[in-house]
Structure formats: structure tokens, C-alpha cells
Amino acid sequence: MDTAEFRRRGKEMVDYIADYLESIEQRQVYPDVQPGYLRSLIPEEAPEQPDSYEDVVRDIERVIMPGVTHWHSPYFYAYYSTGNSYPSLLADMLSAAIGCVGFSWAASPACTELETVMLDWLGKMLNLPEDFLAGTAGQGGGVIQGTASEATIVALLAARSRTVRQIQAQSPEHTEMDIISKLVAYSSDQAHSSVEKAGLIAGVRMRKVATDEKFAVRGETFSVMLEEDKRKGLIPFYFCATLGTTPSCAFDCLTELGPICNAEKIWMHIDAAYAGSAFICPEFRPLLNGVEFADSFNFNPHKWLLVHFDCSAMWVRRRSDIIRAFKTDALYLNHDHQDSGLITDYRHWQIPMGSRFRSLKLWFVFRLYGLKGLQAHIRKHVLLAKEFERRVREDQRFEISADVVLGLVCFRLKGSNELNETLLKRINSARKIHLVPCQLAGRFVLRFAVCARSTESHHVQEAWAHIAEIASELMQDLQH
Ligand SMILES: Cc1ncc(COP(=O)(O)O)c(C=O)c1O
């Protein structure tokens, strides 16, 4: 493909994408295919001679689209939202074209510097404590990780390394292995599975703290567990608090947990993967109170801030904590400014050496929506969730299973788990909308998460009417 053809095909592709997104609700939200469907549709091997572009494009509808779950359909209410917007798409095109690998300032100065400044912009939108911002002389700062899962593991490894250093400074006779074998990390029993995985990767004990009736970790429960573990000779070193848990969007009580972590020298990481975007709205910012006690904080603009996957924003209070855990030396990566204190080399902040020019997505989206536009997007989703909640509450057959704080509604039919499992199966088999379940206090619960940028009130009403009708059919079938 030469430049002239790229110009032509690029414009056609933009048209295809715009058409896809504008007419997405006409597509079935969840595909009908069976596992292995794709292999039979394409050759066993890559072509020896080039295919034509027309052939490739034709195969998008023939091979790919039949197996796509349309996450940006207004009938998609599963998991949590994932970001999508035209400014973000355009920025991603530019990022792909520049195609640099951002591992050090010298590898592409704009890539590093825009990332640092965008994370400061975003930190200010969230009203994060000053300590977390890089500014020109701060000790903290932000980095874009690929996912919240990576941020959790990065924070855990940094905490492990800091704890080992602190203990060895006082008791040099303890080996690193000795110390690591006694470490214990904690998270809510509602925490995302990636937190448990982080413990497995880091090779440390991981304990789940029981939550209260609102599915939140409270200080007292945590304290009791810490005392128990310390009596056994274990060393508590890391607590991953969740703001906006995956099952029900519950919020751990940071203002109780933070002081305990600080007093015990436990690294407090906050995973706000989904809910974090809402904190740009002053009315939701109190949910972040207690962040002043944290060592690190993370959320995914790629979930709810109109930015495409992948873009997970992470801040640390002391960047030296993270850099000391990951710093390695290689002559070919060195450059003249690395010790100037003026810049940061992001290869020391993350698991992969390099990353894409992801901050362009933030820059385009922040500038083209403005804070007001982003706040409007969040508020609209919360209002839609409230509207759905109202519908559920009006129907005596149903119950709400957890407080509706942001864009997620957890609900179920009053009755057995089996009844609700059948309801969900029927809803998803009908293919009109797509939902996933969760378990709350032993109960099978349906989750309705407002996800797509294009979801409007009439979609939510339609979704509710559809659910209510399937529930009626189910009740009728059970009576016969
Ligand atoms: C609370 C929480 N943490 C972590 C994750 C995982 O996010 P990621 O895919 O960015 O690792 C999720 C995903 O929904 C989540 O809800």
C-alpha cells in the first residue's frame, strides 16, 4: 500500500468506523457463534501472495463482525463500561502513526512529558492531594499503566521492596527471602480477581478482609485481622482498598482504613478502576475522601472517561518508592538527562519496558470534551442508572441488592438463586441486551451497568420492559 492508497483507504476506514458506531444498535449485541467458529472461515495459513484490500475489508463483515460482542451498543449492560469517543480514536491513530516506544525521556521526549503533564491535569480534575502530582518539583507523580491489574501488581511489588528495605535497615541479619516469606497483603473479599493474582505473581500471602452489609471493608475488621497476623509473626505490608467494587460498586471505608495503614507502615493502594472517573464531579468526590492516607491510587480512564483501552492512570505519593523497586541498568537505555531530576524514565515505573504514546488519548479527550463535557457524560450515566433503579423498585416482584451510587444497578427477582439464574439465562439467550451476574452475600444477582456513550433513557426503558416481560414469561412457565 503506497501513500496515495493509504490516504484513500484511511478515509474509507474512518467512514466504516463512523457508520459502525452510529448504527451499532441495529447489530445484535451478543454474537451467536460457537467456540472455534473463526478457524473454519479463514485459510489455515497466511497468504503466500498478497490479498487485495477489498478482500480484507469484505472479511471484516464475513469473519470478524459475526463474532464481535458490541461493547459500545446501547444494549450492552455487562461488566463495566469501556471508553470510546471520536477524539480518543483519532488520538490513537496518531499514536499508532508516531509509533514510538516510550521507555525513557530520550526515546521520545514528547511521549514522556505529555504523560507526566496529563497525569497532573487529571490529578487536578480529581482534586488529588498535591503530593501525588509531579509538578516541577514534586516527589510524587503519575504514570499510565495498561490496566488496573498492572497498577495493583506494580504497587504491591513496590510495597514489598520498600518493606524489605525498611526491615533490613533495622535488622540487617534478616535475608530478603526470610522477610518475604512472612509478608501478608490484604484486600476486600469483594476485590477484583486481579488483586489475588497480584499476590500470586509476587509470591506473597494474600488475605481477604470480610466486608460489612454494604460490601465495604471497615477499619475494625481490618484491625482485628492485623493483630491476629502479627501475633503469628507475620508482617502486614500492603492493603489494596477498592472504591467501586466489581460486583456491586461498594466503597471501602478509606477514612477508617487509611490511618491504620499509616500507623502500621502498610502501603495503601486504592483500586478505583471504574468509579475513579466519577470523582471529577464535585458531588462524587467525597467518595475519594481518605485518599490522603494512600501511597498509590489508580483508576481507568479507559473505563468511564471516554478514552479507549488501554489507559489506566496511576499516581504514587513518592515516586522513589516505585523507581527503587524496578530500576535496572542497561547502557543502551541510558541518556544524558536521566539523572537531571527534571524528567522521569517510565521504564522504571512499569512492568514492560516500553509503552505506546497513550497520553495523546487523554490530551485529545480532555481538550475536546473539557471538564464540563466529561462531567456531563458521568452524570448522564448515573441518572440512567437511577432511572433503571426506579423501574426495578416499582415492580414488586424485584428487589435492589446494593446501594446504587454510580452507574451500576444490582437487582434480582425476589426468590431463589435458581430462579434468577434462569432469568439471566433467558435474558442473555434472547440476545436483545447483555448482562452479567454477581454474587452478593450468597445471592445470585443481576448487574445492570450503564456502559455505552450512546445509551439514552429510551434504551434503558426498553431494556427494563424487556426484562420485565421475560420475568413474566418465566413466572408463567413456573406456574404450569
Ligand atoms: C475494581 C476493579 N479493579 C480492577 C479491574 C480490572 O481492570 P483492568 O482490566 O484495567 O485490569 C476491574 C474491572 O472491571 C474492576 O472493576
Side-chain angles (χ1 to χ4, degrees):
M1 185 178 288
D2 61 16
T3 309
E5 190 181 0
F6 173 71
R7 284 182 199 281
R8 187 156 58 87
R9 299 306 189 188
K11 284 164 191 150
E12 286 170 14
M13 182 54 83
V14 167
D15 280 341
Y16 178 83
I17 292 169
D19 289 344
Y20 168 70
L21 289 172
E22 289 313 297
S23 61
I24 198 165
E25 65 185 271
Q26 285 153 32
R27 293 179 188 257
Q28 184 174 292
V29 61
Y30 192 80
D32 283 325
V33 294
Q34 295 301 315
Y37 91 95
L38 191 143
R39 189 176 279 278
S40 64
L41 296 177
I42 60 173
E44 286 291 323
E45 274 142 43
E48 187 114 357
Q49 298 297 329
D51 282 343
S52 74
Y53 184 77
E54 284 79 2
D55 284 343
V56 176
V57 164
R58 210 169 300 123
D59 281 352
I60 297 173
E61 288 296 335
R62 187 182 70 86
V63 178
I64 303 301
M65 285 301 172
V68 169
T69 301
H70 298 288
W71 282 63
H72 301 288
S73 161
Y75 296 115
F76 183 90
Y77 299 105
Y79 314 107
Y80 271 139
S81 57
T82 190
N84 172 292
S85 69
Y86 292 124
S88 175
L89 270 168
L90 290 175
D92 225 12
M93 274 172 72
L94 179 60
S95 164
I98 293 173
C100 62
V101 184
F103 51 80
S104 71
W105 180 86
S108 201
C111 180
T112 295
E113 294 200 15
L114 190 67
E115 185 160 332
T116 308
V117 179
M118 284 308 100
L119 272 280
D120 273 4
W121 278 19
L122 185 52
K124 287 178 191 168
M125 286 188 211
L126 298 166
N127 197 12
L128 279 186
E130 192 76 22
D131 294 359
F132 286 101
L133 306 182
T136 47
Q139 302 296 304
V143 56
I144 302 177
Q145 304 286 359
T147 60
S149 315
E150 283 171 61
T152 301
I153 176 77
V154 163
L156 191 143
L157 292 172
R160 191 183 74 173
S161 151
R162 187 178 78 178
T163 306
V164 169
R165 272 198 317 276
Q166 282 169 349
I167 294 176
Q168 285 186 327
Q170 286 176 355
S171 318
E173 71 281 9
H174 291 309
T175 66
E176 184 173 346
M177 279 306 148
D178 267 355
I179 299 167
I180 290 177
S181 71
K182 294 198 181 84
L183 294 180
V184 52
Y186 304 84
S187 72
S188 147
D189 62 13
Q190 301 291 304
H192 190 261
S193 60
S194 54
V195 183
E196 189 176 337
K197 193 167 169 187
L200 292 174
I201 295 170
V204 295
R205 224 176 253 98
M206 191 97 215
R207 295 199 64 197
K208 291 187 177 168
V209 189
T211 46
D212 69 3
E213 72 292 347
K214 301 262 186 204
F215 310 106
V217 174
R218 303 300 302 266
E220 203 178 323
T221 323
F222 184 43
S223 286
V224 170
M225 212 162 174
L226 289 179
E227 290 313 313
E228 218 174 79
D229 286 344
K230 285 196 291 184
R231 270 198 304 277
K232 289 183 198 154
L234 298 175
I235 308 169
F237 81 108
Y238 177 81
F239 175 64
C240 178
T242 310
L243 294 183
T245 58
T246 318
S248 67
C249 202
F251 293 79
D252 288 343
C253 191
L254 292 189
T255 48
E256 293 175 5
L257 296 159
I260 299 170
C261 288
N262 287 182
E264 300 281 344
K265 293 199 172 64
I266 293 171
W267 181 300
M268 183 162 84
H269 174 69
I270 300 173
D271 172 9
Y274 162 72
S277 297
F279 305 151
I280 64 166
C281 299
E283 67 273 32
F284 299 124
R285 175 58 177 77
L287 294 166
L288 184 58
N289 287 352
V291 65
E292 58 278 13
F293 299 108
D295 293 280
S296 51
F297 168 70
N298 170 253
F299 85 98
N300 287 347
H302 73 229
K303 273 191 160 46
W304 205 11
L305 217 54
L306 297 168
V307 174
H308 285 88
F309 189 85
D310 54 347
C311 181
S312 186
M314 177 187 192
W315 290 264
V316 282
R317 182 183 294 283
R318 282 170 300 275
R319 57 177 179 258
S320 58
D321 283 339
I322 206 169
I323 291 171
R324 285 178 80 172
F326 292 111
K327 193 160 186 180
T328 50
D329 221 2
L331 186 60
Y332 45 84
L333 300 177
N334 289 349
H335 60 90
D336 290 346
H337 300 284
Q338 63 187 20
D339 299 317
S340 66
L342 297 172
I343 51 95
T344 193
D345 283 341
Y346 279 121
R347 72 180 188 276
H348 305 311
W349 295 56
Q350 57 200 15
I351 293 168
M353 181 185 77
S355 55
R356 298 166 67 249
F357 200 158
R358 293 184 283 218
S359 54
L360 282 171
K361 289 185 284 197
L362 292 176
W363 197 43
F364 273 46
V365 167
F366 293 166
R367 295 183 65 188
L368 293 170
Y369 277 91
L371 178 58
K372 293 276 180 231
L374 295 170
Q375 288 171 335
H377 171 66
I378 300 286
R379 286 173 179 144
K380 178 176 160 194
H381 275 196
V382 177
L383 281 177
L384 290 174
K386 294 280 180 200
E387 184 177 342
F388 185 82
E389 180 193 11
R390 247 190 335 272
R391 299 282 172 175
V392 177
R393 286 193 190 279
E394 281 162 12
D395 189 324
Q396 296 305 310
R397 298 170 301 171
F398 285 88
E399 62 194 8
I400 292 289
S401 309
D403 288 352
V404 179
V405 182
L406 298 174
L408 175 70
V409 184
C410 290
F411 70 107
R412 68 195 301 280
L413 274 170
K414 291 172 186 162
S416 68
N417 284 349
E418 292 70 33
L419 178 69
N420 282 284
E421 280 172 41
T422 310
L423 174 67
L424 181 67
K425 213 169 258 163
R426 289 194 181 191
I427 291 169
N428 281 336
S429 303
R431 298 284 197 265
K432 184 170 171 59
I433 62 173
H434 188 51
L435 305 180
V436 294
C438 69
Q439 267 237 339
L440 292 175
R443 293 179 154 199
F444 186 92
V445 168
L446 284 70
R447 291 170 79 266
F448 183 93
V450 179
C451 287
R453 175 172 54 86
S454 57
T455 307
E456 299 291 344
S457 171
H458 71 89
H459 296 114
V460 169
Q461 288 175 34
E462 236 178 278
W464 170 250
H466 180 64
I467 293 167
E469 193 184 324
I470 291 182
S472 299
E473 285 166 11
L474 175 59
M475 302 295 211
Q476 257 176 16
D477 288 353
L478 289 175
Q479 278 162 11
H480 292 138

